[in-house]
Amino acid sequence: GAMENWMWEIAAYRLDRFLGVNMVPVTVERRFRENRGSLQFWVEGTFHYLEIMEGRTKLPGGMKGVLFNRQVYLQRAFDDLLYNDDRHANNILITDDWRMILIDHSRSFRTSKASLSTLLYNEKSRTHAGTISALPAAFVEKLKTLTPEIIRGLTESYLTEKEIEAVMVRRDLI
């Protein structure tokens, strides 16, 4: 099966905040009966992105729709950076005011050959169109400042050196 790691939940949250994505709920380390793990804030009053995909909930029109689409592009770039190959419509939550909440990063931070040579949302993927050009300038600028030292400082012991190097490779691909 796919490798999962609770530490990646915390690393994803910290990178989310550093980059100004602000879509990952607060995630911290906690102990429960001698076991270490991650604890994530639960966001009330959300629905799954799946409802939009299945047509049960309609996307908002006008400026709200434009702003929502920008969040989709930001989600894709963030998942590219982390190589979260487990993103699906049930781990993207939407709030009543159309903010995107990203949960489940336990299968992120891949170091496989594929994760170092191509992005999840690449030119060949049907979900790529307009992704990079629609990213917020502040996010792009913050991404440019990312260094292994910054990642190490943010993520402490939650990421290995190999995982940090992989993030940098993907940052350059983005």
Side-chain angles (χ1 to χ4, degrees):
M3 280 245 323
E4 293 200 35
N5 189 331
W6 63 267
M7 292 184 194
W8 295 331
E9 298 282 359
I10 297 168
Y13 163 69
R14 291 178 175 189
L15 279 169
D16 163 275
R17 287 309 185 271
F18 175 80
L19 294 167
V21 175
N22 298 321
M23 292 184 188
V24 178
V26 174
T27 310
V28 295
E29 181 178 334
R30 285 292 179 267
R31 281 190 183 274
F32 181 73
R33 297 188 183 136
E34 300 311 306
N35 294 315
R36 294 168 67 207
S38 64
L39 176 71
Q40 188 168 72
F41 184 79
W42 183 255
V43 181
E44 293 284 333
T46 62
F47 62 92
H48 293 98
Y49 191 61
L50 185 65
E51 287 186 31
I52 295 169
M53 291 178 69
E54 290 179 343
R56 289 183 282 148
T57 301
K58 294 280 177 251
L59 277 171
M63 200 56 206
K64 257 192 181 151
V66 170
L67 294 173
F68 183 79
N69 280 333
R70 285 193 188 145
Q71 291 181 88
V72 172
Y73 298 137
L74 192 53
Q75 167 263 310
R76 290 174 183 167
F78 187 65
D79 282 339
D80 272 339
L81 184 68
L82 275 51
Y83 209 84
N84 182 1
D85 60 4
D86 190 40
R87 176 70 63 215
H88 51 78
N90 279 327
N91 60 26
I92 299 175
L93 306 177
I94 312 296
T95 63
D96 291 339
D97 61 352
W98 291 95
R99 284 181 307 113
M100 195 176 268
I101 307 291
L102 304 177
I103 59 170
D104 196 359
H105 295 89
S106 66
R107 293 185 185 178
S108 299
F109 299 103
R110 300 297 188 210
T111 57
S112 66
K113 198 172 173 184
S115 76
L116 298 172
S117 59
T118 185
L119 299 171
L120 291 166
Y121 299 96
N122 59 46
E123 294 78 19
K124 293 184 193 93
S125 85
R126 60 190 172 77
T127 50
H128 175 75
T131 302
I132 301 302
S133 61
L135 291 173
F139 171 78
V140 173
E141 290 310 308
K142 216 47 174 160
L143 199 55
K144 288 177 184 174
T145 70
L146 207 54
T147 63
E149 295 73 32
I150 287 173
I151 298 172
R152 219 173 280 121
L154 288 169
T155 61
E156 298 168 22
S157 60
Y158 297 121
L159 292 182
T160 65
E161 282 304 308
K162 193 174 179 183
E163 289 161 353
I164 291 169
E165 286 170 26
V167 170
M168 291 305 299
V169 167
R170 289 188 294 270
R171 188 229 31 194
D172 293 343
L173 286 172
I174 293 170

